[in-house]
Amino acid sequence: MADAQRSAAKPGPRPAGRLYVKGVFTGYRRNHHQQQEHTALLKLEGVFDQKAANFYVGKRACYLYKAHKKVTKPGKSVASRTRAIWGRVTRVHGSGGTVRAKFHHNLPPNAMGKRIRVLLYPSNI
């Protein structure tokens, strides 16, 4: 009985999967004496070497966070607390699969260790 209900649940095309890769903001580009806050380091899920990380160069990155006040966005009728900082993956960092990204506004320090979305567009293939 349960199998019959599952097969007839939703006719039509299936919804697409997520169009982004999960990543973590690990910190800023730095050396022993200073750090450059204008470049963020991102560790991407399932990327463990330089060759795999090279695929994501040029892709867009997005940091979503919740603000205190609700704001209505252009083209939307409902106010929302969700805000976004957009950026782009610029190059590979090291040989372990980490990438560098530059955001339109520098990521805040409290975003370290938080989730970053790296979208799978623009496509190079």
Side-chain angles (χ1 to χ4, degrees), residues 103-125:
F103 287 81
H104 291 294
H105 297 283
N106 295 345
L107 291 181
N110 64 356
M112 285 187 199
K114 302 271 177 68
R115 180 71 69 206
I116 303 284
R117 294 181 179 188
V118 177
L119 290 93
L120 296 177
Y121 59 81
S123 177
N124 296 327
I125 55 174

Side-chain angles (χ1 to χ4, degrees), residues 39-118:
T39 303
L41 300 179
L42 309 178
K43 182 66 183 141
L44 304 179
E45 187 177 75
V47 179
F48 302 109
D49 61 347
Q50 206 169 15
K51 188 175 180 184
N54 216 19
F55 170 79
Y56 295 98
V57 173
K59 302 286 190 272
R60 298 197 70 191
C62 179
Y63 169 62
L64 295 173
Y65 65 98
K66 298 277 187 167
H68 291 291
K69 293 187 178 182
K70 288 188 175 184
V71 174
T72 305
K73 302 285 184 191
K76 302 274 185 176
S77 59
V78 180
S80 173
R81 288 179 50 210
T82 305
R83 311 278 167 82
I85 300 176
W86 288 92
R88 192 173 295 273
V89 176
T90 55
R91 59 178 289 181
V92 177
H93 180 80
S95 59
T98 303
V99 295
R100 298 182 193 177
K102 289 201 172 206
F103 287 81
H104 291 294
H105 297 283
N106 295 345
L107 291 181
N110 64 356
M112 285 187 199
K114 302 271 177 68
R115 180 71 69 206
I116 303 284
R117 294 181 179 188
V118 177

